[in-house]
Amino acid sequence: MNASENNKYRELTLWIIIFSILLALPTKLVFFQKNDFSLGKEFSQKASIRQSPIASKRGVIFDRNNYVLAEDIPSYEIGISLKDFSFDPLHINLLSTNLDLDNDRLKKRLARKKTKYLVLNQKVVKQKKEHIQSLEIPGIVISNRTFKRNYPQGEIFSQLIGLTNYKNEGVNGIEFALDETLKAEDGYQEKILSRKSGVIQNTIIKEPINGSAVNLTVDSKIQFILFDKLKKAVEFHNAESASGIIIDLDSNEILAMTNFPSFDPNNRKKLKNMELLKNNSAIELFEPGSTVKPLALSALLKNNPELIKSAVNTSPGWIEFEGYKTEDARNYGTLSTEEIIAKSSNVGMVKLCSDFDPNQILRTYYSLGFGKYMNEIFISTREGYLPEYKNLSLREKVSLCYGYGLQTTLVQLTSAYSTIFSEGVYRPLKLIKNSSQFEEERILSKENAKQIKKILYNAIKNGTGFRAIVNDHDVFGKTGTARIFKNQKYNDDLHNALFIGMTKIEDKEYLLGLFVKNPKINGEGGGDVAAPIFSEIIETIQKL
Amino acid sequence: MPKFKNQSTLQRIFLGKHDRSLGFADIDIPMLFISTFLLFFGIVMVTSVSLPLTSGTLNMTLSHIQKIFIAFVFALFAFRMPMSFWQKNSIYFLMFSLFLLILVFVPFIGKEVNGAFRWIRVLGFSFQPSELMKFSLIIYISSYCIRKYDEFREEWLGFFKPVFLISLSILLILLEPDLGSSAVIFIVSFSILFIAGAPLKHLISIFIVGLFTFIGLIFTASYRIKRIMGYLDPWNNEFAEQLRASLSAISNGQWFGVGIGNSQMKEGFLSDAQTDFIFAIITEELGIVFSLVLILAFSYLVFRCFLIGRYARQNDYIFGCLVSYGTGVLIALHVFINIGVSTGLLPTKGITLPFISFGGSNLMLMFVLITLVQKIKIEVNFSNKVSV
């Protein structure tokens, strides 16, 4: 075979190979159309349909006068498209200042070359968004209208109202307790990318369900007054903290419930101390000290109404039980029952109690609400502590009468006093308007309650609570100074100052519970620290 | 014989001062027709695909037309030059191409796209030297095989001289890295050597070396292995998203397509839709039946190249024969790889669809090569007329 002949065959071989591989293409196409066609169709449908959520609004929380305490407001995501961003240090500075970002960290994030889009803040409110738009920084992308929880009243309500998490679920306070009512369900829509470019079809698959509103019994104005006075008291006495509750005795509705220090729920970045999330007025446990004496007396009178007429010799100002000394501030000599409460005599209470069955006292305490969760106000509460009857020593038994050996919360203690001022009928407190009614129950006889109320009047007028007096007003109440049990002992330098008091303003009875933790200067007891807060609050409320 | 007789102005512009006038019989009309059709069809498809990418403006279409114009100027130059010019100067073209392939790695001249150095920037235009290399190698190998006809068929050294230069070019392209173009260059060079009559044992040995290098290179780069995995299971593999989108586009099109401009997958679902995956959009918009016609058109173009190659050989014009076959094989490979990848016949590998895909370098290459093939036919015809 000559060379030319050889080349002819080679050409033929090349023709065959090249046209065979070209023939593979139509074969594959037809084969694909027959077999994998449905898979491709399914994928293209999936690819062209984009599901996206439709934001829903969580329920609004109102106070009794329909002032907004918590609501969802529109928010926007602000990000940078790095392709269009100038990386001008001035622009970076403007962004970090306006969006509360760390300048160096932002620079580092911008330096990561792999990202094309950087989210700066997912929840920016409208005003801020407009401000950032006005800066006209190139590359800024504003998108995704969603909602952000806003608390217009700020720190004065933060512990009571609580917070929501990034999923807009309540995590504490009212937000958590009433999450079922408040919560909203996002809807979603399917965006079908149309075959004609630019046009997008939206099909709403599920409408968003907004949350229901909740009305609280609290009054923003009164809450503000309470918060303001507590704050001043903490600063004046250099105390650790203070809590307060104000109740409208006509309806037993809570008008105010707050604590200081608090935090700004709208700026959570500043919230470093998680203890501040706690609503101390409902969950901080303490020994009630002398504030429990009127309640103890009511238990004693329940068994022996004649006791009211008796007199007790408290000389020499102290008494010893099982090696422990119980003392009064001074030797008061012989005191009537009324005077024992007014002077807040521990010795007197010990002597009155020592002959009684402690079970009677414990039962009364329990029926007044001690040792029980307060489910009627929905928010988290603590049950406190009441000792078990059979384990009580004599010393423990008598200390129950002057407020040691049991633990309570401010809301529990205030609720117990409300029973006395409601003529002996226990009426559950209310925090939520239109919430289902809990059962009322008579705990003390009318007569008994009246007697205690009179004693409480005397305790202010002639006793330790005189600083709570507001001119022209009848004030009823009791101070308390409880030593703090710390490091396995009661410390003489650490006290809680308490005052529970009631007065009438224009036919409306207000019951106040005040608790100041460990005041260090300008007085230390309930009479010096807590009682003056009462009169200040009442004076201010009067002016409303 | 009077010179310039019967020569019109246009003929003078296109042909120069030839002593023979150009008749329709001299040009390969089917080839001219098909390449023109593909070109105009390319403009239509680039417009359709680019509209969503350029937010409704014609920027990309205008840029494509601009590139066609530049390619046309190059093709005109190629047409004016006698074939002997290319045959004589092929080694300089090869050297120039090698120089440009090295320039790709020089900062400020070379341009990096997705981690690969395949482009250089000249006067505001981006250019792929590997495309020029395809052209240079075709004319260089063809010319070498003629010049050293006996040496190359009978001596080892004579055979391995061109093989060395081919290997060097492939190595530089592999460094970019661009395995697809390397493979194309290898097969085109191999085909020319085969047609030129290189000894079979030499051919088999370089084929085996080439094959093993190719397989070795696939398994040394993780992204290539991922592409192979995606190719084997396109519907479930996370790395096969582009392939899935391409197959979906083809499914959407069914037999007769969704209509031009109506593609769904071009709206951001299929990346590189204007270049390497334009076939998927063509099938989606115009249907499988039209795609089969398109494949037929490309095959016919290859067929015409081969036919001219055979015609040249029959007239003992071996350089023209080799260039024509080289061009035919190059077009066939581009079409096979591009459409094969879009339809899932081959693993994903970006390569352009001749005359249709957006991109200037490949357009220029195809224009110039097709022009040379036409020129080969004309020169063979002229030499026949002269000799008659």
Side-chain angles (χ1 to χ4, degrees), chain A residues 10-11 15 43 47-48 50, chain B residues 194 198 248 264 269 313 325:
Chain A
R10 287 193 176 202
E11 277 176 47
W15 282 61
F43 177 82
S48 61
R50 295 280 157 90
Chain B
F194 177 71
S248 305
Q264 207 172 318
F269 301 116
R313 182 184 52 78
Y325 272 109

Side-chain angles (χ1 to χ4, degrees), chain A residues 48-52 189-193 200-203:
Chain A
S48 61
I49 294 174
R50 295 280 157 90
Q51 281 194 352
S52 62
Q189 58 194 344
E190 280 184 351
K191 286 184 179 178
I192 299 171
L193 295 183
I200 284 170
Q201 283 178 353
N202 266 3
T203 320

Side-chain angles (χ1 to χ4, degrees), chain A residues 10, chain B residues 152-155 159 193 197-204:
Chain A
R10 287 193 176 202
Chain B
F152 143 81
R153 293 173 69 144
E154 280 148 26
E155 288 172 31
F159 177 78
L193 291 174
L200 276 180
K201 59 178 179 181
H202 294 179
L203 284 175
I204 291 168

Side-chain angles (χ1 to χ4, degrees), chain A residues 470-497:
Chain A
V470 189
N471 16 322
D472 307 335
H473 284 78
D474 290 340
V475 178
F476 308 80
K478 179 74 191 83
T479 60
T481 308
R483 285 182 295 167
I484 297 173
F485 191 76
K486 200 177 174 186
N487 303 330
Q488 304 300 316
K489 61 170 189 178
Y490 285 101
N491 203 314
D492 282 338
D493 301 330
L494 302 175
H495 294 86
N496 288 328

Side-chain angles (χ1 to χ4, degrees), chain B residues 51-69:
Chain B
L51 282 176
L53 298 173
T54 56
S55 5
T57 64
L58 287 173
N59 290 348
M60 220 181 240
T61 308
L62 293 176
S63 156
H64 189 65
I65 291 172
Q66 190 184 22
K67 281 164 184 161
I68 288 173
F69 181 74

